[in-house]
Amino acid sequence: MPYFGTNGIRGKLDLFTPEFASRMASAFGEWCGKGKILIGRDARTTGEMVESACVAGLLSSGCEPVLLEVVPAPTVEFLTKSTAAAGGIVITASHNPPDWVAMKFVDKEGIALSKEKGAEVERIYERRAKRVEWNEYKKTEKYPFAVRDHLSAILKTIDAGKARKRKLSVVLDCGNGTMSGPAQLLTREFGCEAVSINSHPDGFFPGRNSEPTKDNVQDLMKTVKELGADIGIAWDGDADRVIFVDEKGGYVIGDVSFALCVKIKLKEKKGYVVTTVATSNAVADVAKEFGCKTLLTKVGAPYISEEMRRVNAAIGGEEVGGVIWPELHYGKDGLMTTAKILEAVAEKPLSQLAKEIPVYYNSKTKVPCTGEKKAKVMSRLKATAKGGAVISLDGVRVDMKDGWVIARPSGTEDYIRVFAEAKTAERAKKLMQEFEEKVLGAIKEV
Ligand code: MG
C-alpha cells in the first residue's frame, strides 16, 4: 500500500503507531545514505511520541538524529540544506485538525519528497532498513537556535531599515502553531509594534482552526481594524503558508499575496516563475509584465520545488499563500514571505499593493464520481476537451482567451472537482457550468 501522498505521509494514530514511525524513519535514513538527519515538529500532542520513534528508527539505521524540537517546517528545510545534513523529517500535519499526524521528508537540498521519491523509501520500508551493529551507533544532538539561524539568513536578503523607520504596527495570529515565538522574533527585527493573538504553541489549537482561511481569521481581521494596525499576519500550523490582512481589515487571498511576491521578486531579479495548474492567472499576468515566463506543474509543493531547481527559477509557489524563495531554499517559507511583504508594506499600504494585482473571479463545484471511474472519466475528458489549449499535467485544464477551467479528481474523496477562473464572475460561472456538464457527460459515457 502506498503511504506517501503528494507531500509526505498523513494520517491519524491508527496509522502513526510508534512502530510505524520508527520503521519509516529508519527506511528514510537508509534512503539518505546515513549521516545527520534533522527532525523538527509542530506543537501537536502526538509530536513527542513520533519524534522519539523517529530517533529510535534513525539511530538503528546508523544515522545521527539532530533535534530542532518545535520549529516551523521551513526552518527544517532551510537548515537541512544550509548545514549540509543528509536529510530532514518534519513531524507536522500542517493545517489539519489536531488529531492528525504527518511526517514530511526532505532530501539533502531541503526539497520535500514527492510521491514518486516516497515510493523508493516505501520499498526500503517493506523489506525493512538494514540495522547497524552495536559498535556503529551514533549519538543524538540538539540544535537549540534553529529559528534564530533561519531568521538571520532571511534578514541578510532583506532591507529591514525602511520598515524600522516606519515602525509598522502589526497584529500576529500564530494560530497556536509553530510561529508562536518566531513571529515575535521576526517582527521585532523589522521594528514593528506587535500585538499577538493565539500566540502560544498548543496542540489543541484552542484559538482557531489551523488553516488561515478567511472564516478562521475573523478575530485577526477585527483586531487589525479596531487597533488601526498596518497589517495582520496569520500562519498555518507549520508556517509554510501565510496570509495577510490589509490595514482596512480586509482579507488578502493567497493568490493575490503570491502574485504580489512575484512582483516584488521579479523587480529584484528576473527569471522563471513556477506554480501549479490550479493557480490564478494573476500570477502569470504579473510575470508577463516583467517579460518573464510562468511554468506550470502538477499540484503539490514537491513538484514546484523540483521544477524550480531544474530551471533555476526566480520564484515559485501555490495558490493558498505558500511562496518559495530559492535564494534561501526550495520549500514554501512563511517567514521569508512575511519578511518580504513587511519590506513592501513599509513603502505602501497593503490594500494599495493588492489593488495593483490583476483581478480574477472564480467559480467551483464538485461532481460525485467513485474511485475506479475517476481515471476513465479523466481520459475521456482529455480526449474530448476543446475550445482552447489543453493542459493535462494534472487533471484536464483548458486555457481560453478570457479564462480557464480545470477538472481534477480528488485524491481523498469520491469527487471530481471543477474550477474556473475568468475576468468576470459571470464568465467564470459559465465556464464552470459548461465543464461540469462535460464531466457529467463523460461519467455517463464511461
Ligand atoms: Mg502548511
Side-chain angles (χ1 to χ4, degrees):
M1 155 190 167
Y3 294 107
F4 275 74
T6 48
N7 193 354
I9 304 171
R10 219 166 264 222
K12 293 190 182 174
L13 282 179
D14 53 345
L15 173 67
F16 280 94
T17 60
E19 294 82 359
F20 173 80
S22 163
R23 187 170 158 183
M24 194 56 83
S26 59
F28 176 65
E30 186 177 312
W31 184 86
C32 291
K34 301 182 185 172
K36 283 194 173 40
I37 307 285
L38 272 44
I39 307 175
R41 60 179 165 90
D42 62 17
R44 283 166 202 269
T45 56
T46 49
E48 274 183 81
M49 179 279 281
V50 180
E51 179 192 76
S52 305
C54 286
V55 168
L58 289 169
L59 286 169
S60 75
S61 61
C63 297
E64 299 167 65
V66 181
L67 301 183
L68 276 51
E69 299 189 326
V70 177
V71 290
T75 301
V76 181
E77 291 164 330
F78 166 71
L79 287 173
T80 300
K81 189 179 171 208
S82 66
T83 65
I89 300 177
V90 196
I91 302 159
T92 175
S94 182
H95 54 277
N96 284 43
D99 54 335
W100 282 74
V101 189
M103 287 164 79
K104 196 164 100 177
F105 301 86
V106 299
D107 70 12
K108 61 182 193 307
E109 288 186 70
I111 294 187
L113 266 60
S114 61
K115 206 171 178 162
E116 293 74 15
K117 285 203 177 141
E120 297 168 20
V121 178
E122 279 164 13
R123 280 197 285 278
I124 303 173
Y125 172 92
E126 290 304 338
R127 68 156 162 78
R128 286 182 185 272
K130 191 172 175 300
R131 289 190 177 150
V132 295
E133 294 297 328
W134 68 272
N135 56 355
E136 295 170 296
Y137 269 74
K138 305 289 186 202
K139 291 283 182 202
T140 305
E141 281 175 30
K142 283 198 175 180
Y143 191 137
F145 300 112
V147 172
R148 285 177 188 274
D149 287 354
H150 182 195
L151 281 180
S152 72
I154 289 173
L155 288 163
K156 276 186 196 144
T157 71
I158 298 259
D159 175 15
K162 271 185 209 142
R164 276 194 207 113
K165 269 188 218 138
R166 270 278 278 119
K167 285 202 172 27
L168 293 166
S169 79
V170 302
V171 184
L172 311 171
D173 182 351
C174 308
N176 305 109
T178 57
M179 274 311 270
S180 312
Q184 287 80 358
L185 280 178
L186 172 64
T187 50
R188 195 183 299 156
E189 293 290 343
F190 283 83
C192 298
E193 289 169 357
V195 169
S196 309
I197 58 175
N198 308 319
S199 59
H200 66 284
D202 187 327
F204 289 88
F205 298 127
R208 63 161 164 89
N209 280 347
S210 189
E211 181 155 30
T213 58
K214 188 174 177 181
D215 282 349
N216 290 341
V217 300
Q218 290 294 319
D219 284 348
L220 174 66
M221 292 161 68
K222 222 184 290 165
T223 312
V224 168
K225 211 170 168 186
E226 278 169 14
L227 297 180
D230 293 304
I231 187 171
I233 312 171
W235 296 267
D236 76 332
D238 61 342
D240 56 348
R241 283 162 50 190
V242 56
I243 66 91
F244 302 94
V245 171
D246 70 24
E247 75 286 358
K248 295 172 180 164
Y251 184 85
V252 178
I253 60 166
D255 272 341
V256 171
S257 57
F258 175 29
L260 188 53
C261 289
V262 170
K263 198 169 180 174
I264 292 168
K265 178 69 202 197
L266 296 182
K267 252 186 214 167
E268 297 168 6
K269 180 183 176 265
K270 287 184 184 170
Y272 285 111
V273 177
V274 179
T275 189
T276 76
V277 290
T279 300
S280 169
N281 268 358
V283 169
D285 287 356
V286 169
K288 232 184 262 166
E289 284 171 31
F290 289 88
C292 296
K293 210 174 165 193
T294 301
L295 303 176
L296 300 180
T297 70
K298 282 162 78 163
V299 175
Y303 301 116
I304 306 173
S305 310
E306 283 171 11
E307 183 69 354
M308 286 181 70
R309 175 168 54 179
R310 192 182 71 80
V311 300
N312 192 19
I315 189 165
E318 283 182 322
E319 73 285 2
V320 281
V323 185
I324 301 173
W325 306 87
E327 55 268 57
L328 276 191
H329 60 100
Y330 283 112
K332 293 177 291 177
D333 193 326
L335 289 79
M336 178 69 169
T337 305
T338 302
K340 291 299 240 185
I341 293 287
L342 284 176
E343 197 185 20
V345 168
E347 295 195 15
K348 213 186 249 187
L350 182 57
S351 68
Q352 277 186 35
L353 290 168
K355 248 188 225 154
E356 293 166 10
I357 300 299
V359 180
Y360 281 95
Y361 296 86
N362 60 56
S363 179
K364 57 185 170 185
T365 189
K366 48 187 189 180
V367 183
C369 182
T370 50
E372 41 313 342
K373 245 188 165 181
K374 280 183 201 165
K376 281 186 196 160
V377 171
M378 294 315 296
S379 59
R380 177 91 195 129
L381 273 178
K382 192 177 152 186
T384 57
K386 53 178 193 277
V390 178
I391 303 170
S392 53
L393 273 173
D394 190 346
V396 176
R397 169 169 160 156
V398 186
D399 278 3
M400 283 147 282
K401 264 191 197 135
D402 59 344
W404 58 275
V405 62
I406 190 168
R408 284 182 65 237
S410 162
T412 49
E413 295 173 284
D414 283 340
Y415 287 110
I416 290 177
R417 296 178 194 282
V418 181
F419 178 96
E421 186 191 73
K423 280 280 179 191
T424 66
E426 298 73 44
R427 179 67 180 147
K429 195 172 177 193
K430 185 147 187 280
L431 282 177
M432 184 276 285
Q433 285 168 338
E434 284 170 5
F435 219 52
E436 184 188 15
E437 286 301 317
K438 274 215 162 91
V439 174
L440 288 167
I443 291 173
K444 267 186 211 143
E445 284 166 27
V446 301

